[in-house]
Amino acid sequence: MDPKVISGNRVFDNRGSLIFNNNLKFNNIKRFYLVHNYSKNFIRAWHGHLKEEKYIKCLEGTFQVSAVKIDNIKKPKKNNKVYNYFLNESNHDFIHIPKGYANGSMSLENNSKLIIFSTLSLEESIKDDYRFDARYWNPWKIDER
C-alpha cells in the first residue's frame, strides 16, 4: 500500500460551514499529537515505522508532507520514490502514511500546525522507531519563480 490522500470537504450555507472527511476511518487509532513549527521552511524528517500507520492533517498554515518506502531498515535506497503532498489549513484532506514508510514534513508558512493520528501507543511506537537524516531523501527544495 502506498501513501494516499483521503479527501475531505467543506460546505457552506447561511448558518456557516461544516468541515468533514467522511472517507477517514479511525478503526485503529490509539493516540494523536500536534506538531507546531514556529518558522517556515523548518524540516522535521525522516521518521520511519514498520508497524505504525499515521493520518496527517494541516490545522494551520501550510506544509509539505513527504513519505518514502523503507526497503532496508539499516540502509534504505536513496533513489526510492518520494511521495510529496501539500496540505493547507483550507484543505480538508488527510494524508495516510502506511506502515513500512518514513515520513517527514516542512512548514511552508510561519506558525504552521499538523495534527497526527497514530495506530500505535507511544510505548509501541518507540519500539518501532527508525530515524534517518533530514536530507537522506531531499524533497525539501523551494522552487523560485
Side-chain angles (χ1 to χ4, degrees):
M1 176 184 301
D2 292 332
K4 66 178 180 180
V5 174
I6 303 172
S7 297
N9 206 343
R10 184 176 186 178
V11 294
F12 299 89
D13 66 18
N14 63 348
R15 299 168 293 175
S17 68
L18 174 69
I19 296 170
F20 58 93
N21 193 315
N22 294 333
N23 301 310
L24 185 64
K25 309 291 184 246
F26 276 136
N27 297 341
N28 299 313
I29 298 302
K30 293 189 177 181
R31 67 188 171 101
F32 79 92
Y33 53 98
L34 295 172
V35 172
H36 181 189
N37 286 358
Y38 298 133
S39 60
K40 69 180 181 178
N41 301 331
F42 187 82
I43 298 168
R44 294 179 188 255
W46 289 94
H47 193 188
H49 297 283
L50 298 179
K51 299 175 186 173
E52 183 175 12
E53 296 180 53
K54 295 179 182 179
Y55 297 86
I56 302 171
K57 181 182 185 332
C58 180
L59 295 178
E60 291 182 32
T62 306
F63 277 92
Q64 175 181 335
V65 176
S66 300
V68 63
K69 181 93 172 140
I70 303 170
D71 60 336
N72 179 316
I73 204 63
K74 295 195 188 277
K75 190 168 171 127
K77 292 177 188 160
K78 289 193 174 192
N79 65 347
N80 286 349
K81 179 179 179 176
V82 177
Y83 296 83
N84 293 301
Y85 304 95
F86 296 90
L87 296 176
N88 181 273
E89 63 191 56
S90 62
N91 168 304
H92 309 297
D93 299 339
F94 279 78
I95 303 301
H96 173 236
I97 308 293
K99 59 186 172 184
Y101 279 78
N103 67 282
S105 63
M106 178 173 66
S107 48
L108 300 176
E109 292 184 63
N110 292 334
N111 287 310
S112 292
K113 294 180 185 175
L114 292 174
I115 187 165
I116 302 168
F117 295 92
S118 168
T119 59
L120 294 184
S121 69
L122 181 58
E123 295 77 20
E124 293 167 323
S125 180
I126 289 170
K127 294 175 186 173
D128 183 42
D129 187 54
Y130 303 93
R131 304 283 176 132
F132 304 96
D133 184 84
R135 304 220 187 260
Y136 192 84
W137 299 278
N138 196 14
W140 318 117
K141 299 175 188 106
I142 303 296
D143 292 330
E144 301 293 334
R145 295 186 185 194

